[in-house]
Amino acid sequence: MSHLHEDKKILNRVRRLKGQIHAVEASLTQQEPSCIDVLQQVAAIKGAVNGLMNELIEEHLREHVIKDPEAVNEQDLQEFLKLLKRYG
């Protein structure tokens, strides 16, 4: 995936995840961290990781799997990606 180093969108997602993880760490160092707050932060991280995974899968499909972009039915591809997001 050598093309990924050029993708600012993916890099920004990773940086946001890094910030979210640091926020969980900071919460856990408080005297009495709120379990609910930490759980909400972790749930946000889980959603962000899933979003990153979906983005990487789509990039991989478009860059390495689909040999002829003109031959791809974009609507079918979008339905497949939506299915991955739902169950991934």
Side-chain angles (χ1 to χ4, degrees):
M1 289 191 171
S2 62
H3 61 282
L4 290 178
H5 74 280
E6 299 172 356
D7 196 325
K8 300 284 186 216
K9 191 169 144 183
I10 289 176
L11 185 57
N12 286 337
R13 279 181 177 269
V14 170
R15 287 180 177 151
R16 278 194 304 274
L17 270 165
K18 191 173 164 182
Q20 290 174 310
I21 290 170
H22 284 289
V24 169
E25 181 182 20
S27 292
L28 293 174
T29 61
Q30 293 178 2
Q31 187 92 18
E32 292 188 35
S34 163
C35 292
I36 296 298
D37 290 345
V38 172
L39 285 168
Q40 287 176 330
Q41 289 172 316
V42 171
I45 291 169
K46 181 179 177 184
V49 167
N50 286 340
L52 175 61
M53 178 67 87
N54 291 333
E55 189 76 28
L56 290 170
I57 289 170
E58 182 173 354
E59 286 290 318
H60 178 73
L61 286 172
R62 291 186 184 280
E63 291 289 326
H64 302 288
V65 176
I66 298 170
K67 301 298 181 193
D68 181 10
E70 298 296 320
V72 172
N73 181 321
E74 189 64 29
Q75 184 177 2
D76 287 344
L77 179 60
Q78 290 304 317
E79 284 183 40
F80 173 73
L81 293 171
K82 195 184 320 182
L83 182 69
L84 278 179
K85 289 175 188 177
R86 187 177 308 143
Y87 296 106

